[in-house]
Amino acid sequence: MKASEQRRVTVKDVAEAAGVGVATVSRVLTGTGSASAATRERVLAAAARLDYRPSALGRNLRRRHTGGIGLLVPDITDTFYARLADGVLACAKSAGEPVILGTTGDDPEREAELIGSLLEESVERVIAVPCGDGEMWGPAFRAGLGVVFAEREVPGRNLPSVRADDRAGVRTAVEYLAGLGHRRIALLARHGQEQRVRAFREALAELGVPVDEELIVLARGTRDSAYAAAAGLLQRRPDVTAVLAGGNMLGEATVLAARELVIRIPRDVSLVMFDDVPWAELCSPPLTVISQPAHDIGYRAAELVLRERGRPRTVTLPTELIVRASCGPRR
């Protein structure tokens, strides 16, 4: 095979050869960030052995950018993130900007790998639903990329972001359930939804309802994990009278687990779910939801990342509680 036809060596190849993470390779090759002398030596030796040519990690600061927007979301099959992506694409199309889409699976290492790939493609701007910490995003910041976070933020990074009003959404749902007489209310949330967890604790405290930490259950961003979390909660705590699901995947898992365990909604357990997805209204019974403007979040994030100056630091969009038949008074 001719050299020109060979696959280009990437930062992931260097990371595997050196036995370190992609973020560590990025720090070493950009010459910034912390890394031990031994680690630096292993990374540089691996890069030399593989004949790695850093198209962006080293040269992106010096050469002309090619433009475009990188979009990183946890799962494009999740209806919420699909609608968010659609909003980004709609705004990018009107601006004549291409979009490169990547899915992280809520895995920080996968996120770091995709950040490195976007740098290699000389992308100028990134919109992301982040799952890694500020250090993971260091190479992008140092390369001068415009970054806007959507739905979530990275602690310690004061960057532009667009998100729904989680606090108001959670508070409204908890107040509604408490008004129906519920006191043993559980929260199912995904890792990365710390704001919703904090809002849940605050809402209970404001209502004078004791916070039972066993009723706050976190799941990874997969359907299997969501189902395990929902089924485990309902089996372990039969005294729960209401569940707030932090996303449509968790709401779906709660409905499925309840059916398997012959738990009736809302007679035995009331259910409120984040995201007004199409199947929520078709479910039996139709689900009460906290509607989030997913498309608008994506569109506004794209507007922010395309605007060079005068960008507000944070845009917060309203949520709405849509009451259907999945909630009833405590029996």
Side-chain angles (χ1 to χ4, degrees):
M1 182 183 289
K2 296 180 180 179
S4 60
E5 297 174 344
Q6 292 178 348
R7 182 179 69 85
R8 186 174 66 185
V9 177
T10 68
V11 288
K12 182 180 180 182
D13 297 323
V14 177
E16 290 177 350
V20 298
V22 174
T24 300
V25 174
S26 298
R27 290 198 301 272
V28 171
L29 295 181
T30 55
T32 55
S34 59
S36 68
T39 298
R40 289 181 59 83
E41 184 177 344
R42 286 209 315 276
V43 169
L44 294 174
R49 186 168 64 252
L50 296 174
D51 193 25
Y52 173 66
R53 300 172 184 270
S55 61
L57 289 172
R59 296 195 301 246
N60 196 39
L61 296 172
R62 300 191 297 272
R63 74 179 186 179
R64 181 178 179 273
H65 288 266
T66 60
I69 300 172
L71 172 60
L72 303 182
V73 297
D75 180 5
I76 198 63
T77 67
D78 184 310
T79 305
F80 176 84
Y81 295 120
R83 295 194 338 255
L84 187 152
D86 189 56
V88 172
L89 291 169
C91 184
K93 180 180 178 181
S94 67
E97 288 283 352
V99 176
I100 299 175
L101 174 65
T103 56
T104 66
D106 266 336
D107 179 357
E109 281 297 316
R110 173 62 178 160
E111 182 177 76
E113 177 188 333
L114 289 169
I115 293 169
S117 297
L118 292 174
L119 285 169
E120 291 180 341
E121 294 294 332
S122 299
V123 169
E124 288 185 327
R125 305 172 180 90
V126 177
I127 298 168
V129 179
C131 59
D133 56 21
E135 182 178 353
M136 199 72 71
W137 282 88
F141 300 142
R142 290 189 289 271
L145 268 66
V147 178
V148 170
F149 293 132
E151 194 209 11
R152 309 174 190 166
E153 298 174 345
V154 169
R157 290 286 181 176
N158 185 25
L159 289 172
S161 64
V162 182
R163 58 188 308 159
D165 193 343
D166 279 351
R167 290 188 64 189
V170 170
R171 184 172 61 250
T172 300
V174 172
E175 288 176 350
Y176 173 67
L177 291 170
L180 292 172
H182 295 283
R183 291 296 181 270
R184 289 186 294 278
I185 305 170
L187 173 68
L188 287 172
R190 287 172 65 160
H191 289 286
Q193 293 182 332
E194 286 80 6
Q195 174 121 355
R196 291 180 188 174
V197 174
R198 288 195 300 269
F200 181 72
R201 291 193 179 102
E202 291 170 1
L204 290 177
E206 289 172 4
L207 292 169
V209 178
V211 178
D212 186 340
E213 293 296 331
E214 285 190 357
L215 299 185
I216 299 175
V217 180
L218 299 181
R220 297 188 303 277
T222 67
R223 281 180 166 78
D224 287 346
S225 179
Y227 180 83
L233 168 69
L234 295 176
Q235 288 178 305
R236 188 176 66 253
R237 293 296 300 264
D239 59 325
V240 166
T241 65
V243 174
L244 172 58
N248 66 80
M249 188 181 295
L250 289 162
E252 176 186 296
T254 304
V255 171
L256 294 174
R259 288 177 182 173
E260 289 287 329
L261 297 170
V262 197
I263 294 173
R264 296 162 296 181
I265 298 173
R267 184 177 179 85
D268 300 323
V269 172
S270 291
L271 174 61
V272 179
M273 178 181 78
F274 264 86
D275 301 339
D276 188 18
V277 293
W279 62 262
E281 195 169 8
L282 302 175
C283 196
S284 180
L287 300 188
T288 295
V289 298
I290 303 166
S291 178
Q292 301 182 96
H295 185 277
D296 290 347
I297 290 174
Y299 198 98
R300 293 292 296 276
E303 284 184 329
L304 281 186
V305 85
L306 289 168
R307 190 184 305 161
E308 295 296 332
R309 296 181 181 177
R311 295 185 298 179
R313 306 310 296 176
T314 302
V315 175
T316 303
L317 300 178
T319 59
E320 178 186 3
L321 180 69
I322 300 176
V323 176
R324 297 189 180 119
S326 64
C327 296
R330 185 183 62 136
R331 295 181 180 272

